[in-house]
């Protein structure tokens, strides 16, 4: 009887465990995205929301179980909600005017609509909405933070590219602003920043904070995009570089601190290719959730 009781309790616990589920209605979906959500069994009051766009060729479930697998246990512990959007295409649209303009009707607006649905349904905290992604998801992170500074408090990009960067379709990214990747015109920090400000020119509030990670041996998304990203957000946030910290958070990584490190940090991962392994502890600490 004791064994049967234990089995019953274990079964009850399993049946009530949170899981990744799909939301199929109740939100505006201009580019036919799929919306997956993870809501822990015990939510915090006014829970924070972390959005995780997947890499090229990935999926919501793959990001949940593999790419950013460490986030769900932290959500269970801390009571925040995870959104895993999924595109029907191979990669996220991070280059069209629809996605790079506030309320432009692109993938970024579809993701923001998922956030708004979640804030409303679960009484979330609009001041604690975050985004983090790898590769194409990192590019989407930059685009979302650029076009929707009124929605996201901070972003963390892994092996991504600046907002308004050009993807040349040949597997290598180049630093230029020509949509057809023809001119190879290298933007300055001022121009990178102006592009972000132009995504939502009416915005005059506090800009989101940014954390940026990239591997030095990345042959898919050029390592030079680390410098471009920190240049872009240093200009947008008006924060100068202050110092490097070697072997942080692990051996071979260099932490690039801007200002006091609260609003902007970069990480150069020596000998790391594509994609830099996700580091939920540092991301959640930067977001202020851990």
């Amino acid at each position: 009887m004791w064994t049967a009781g234990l089995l019953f309790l274990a079964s009850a616990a399993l049946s009530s465990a949170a899981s990744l589920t799909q939301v199929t209605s109740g939100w505006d979906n201009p580019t036919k995205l799929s919306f997956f959500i993870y809501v822990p069994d015990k939510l915090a009051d006014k829970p924070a929301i972390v959005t995780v766009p997947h890499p090229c060729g990935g999926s919501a479930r793959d990001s949940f179980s593999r790419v950013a697998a460490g986030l769900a246990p932290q959500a269970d512990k801390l009571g925040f909600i995870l959104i895993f959007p999924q595109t029907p295409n191979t990669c996220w649209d991070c280059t069209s005017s629809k996605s790079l303009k506030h309320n432009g009707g692109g993938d970024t607006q579809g993701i923001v609509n998922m956030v708004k649905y979640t804030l409303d349904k679960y009484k979330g905290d609009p001041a604690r909405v975050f985004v983090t992604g790898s590769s194409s998801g990192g590019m989407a992170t930059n685009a979302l933070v650029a076009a929707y500074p009124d929605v996201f408090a901070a972003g963390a990009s892994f092996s991504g590219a600046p907002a308004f960067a050009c993807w040349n379709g040949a597997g290598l990214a180049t630093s230029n602003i020509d949509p057809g990747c023809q001119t190879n015109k290298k933007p300055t920090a001022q121009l990178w920043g102006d592009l972000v400000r132009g995504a939502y020119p009416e915005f005059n509030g506090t800009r989101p904070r940014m954390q940026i990670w990239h591997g030095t041996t990345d042959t898919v998304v050029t390592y030079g995009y680390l410098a471009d990203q920190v240049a872009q957000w240093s200009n947008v946030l008006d924060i100068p570089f202050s110092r490097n910290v070697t072997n942080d958070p692990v051996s071979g990584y260099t932490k690039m601190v801007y200002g006091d490190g609260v609003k902007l940090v970069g990480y150069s991962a020596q000998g790391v290719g594509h994609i830099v392994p996700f580091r939920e502890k540092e991301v959640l600490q930067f977001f202020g959730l851990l």
Side-chain angles (χ1 to χ4, degrees), residues 33-164:
L33 305 179
S34 296
F35 175 6
F36 292 83
I37 192 169
Y38 182 80
V39 181
D41 291 332
K42 187 176 180 180
L43 277 178
D45 292 335
K46 295 189 68 176
I49 296 169
V50 179
T51 306
V52 191
H54 60 73
C56 282
S59 67
R61 294 194 182 279
D62 180 59
S63 285
F64 175 76
S65 63
R66 183 181 64 85
V67 179
L71 284 176
Q74 293 294 338
D76 290 335
K77 178 181 177 181
L78 301 171
F80 61 82
I81 298 172
L82 293 166
I83 293 174
F84 290 86
Q86 181 174 302
T87 173
N89 303 309
T90 302
C91 303
W92 294 101
D93 170 21
C94 304
T95 58
S96 77
S97 58
K98 289 184 177 181
S99 275
L100 290 169
K101 283 290 185 183
H102 187 77
N103 292 335
D107 283 355
T108 54
Q109 187 170 359
I111 293 173
V112 165
N113 289 342
M114 298 178 196
V115 170
K116 291 179 177 178
Y117 168 95
T118 304
L119 285 170
D120 182 62
K121 182 174 176 65
Y122 296 100
K123 306 289 190 293
D125 186 349
R128 295 193 300 152
V129 176
F130 308 97
V131 57
T132 181
S134 301
S135 191
S136 179
M139 298 178 189
T141 295
N142 278 276
L144 284 159
V145 170
Y148 295 91
D150 56 332
V151 174
F152 296 96
S157 169
F158 286 76
S159 306
F164 292 88

Side-chain angles (χ1 to χ4, degrees), residues 144-230:
L144 284 159
V145 170
Y148 295 91
D150 56 332
V151 174
F152 296 96
S157 169
F158 286 76
S159 306
F164 292 88
C166 181
W167 184 256
N168 66 11
L172 295 175
T174 55
S175 293
N176 63 73
I177 58 169
D178 178 65
C181 291
Q182 301 297 318
T183 65
N184 277 331
K185 182 179 179 182
K186 176 91 172 167
T188 62
Q190 181 66 43
L191 183 50
W192 278 125
D194 287 344
L195 289 167
V196 169
R197 287 181 284 272
Y200 187 10
E202 299 84 7
F203 182 74
N204 59 6
T206 301
R207 292 280 175 177
R209 299 175 290 112
M210 278 296 292
Q211 183 188 73
I212 301 155
W213 303 73
H214 219 109
T216 62
T217 58
D218 195 329
T219 58
V220 178
V221 180
T222 180
Y223 173 65
Y225 267 158
L226 172 61
D228 288 330
Q229 287 176 88
V230 293

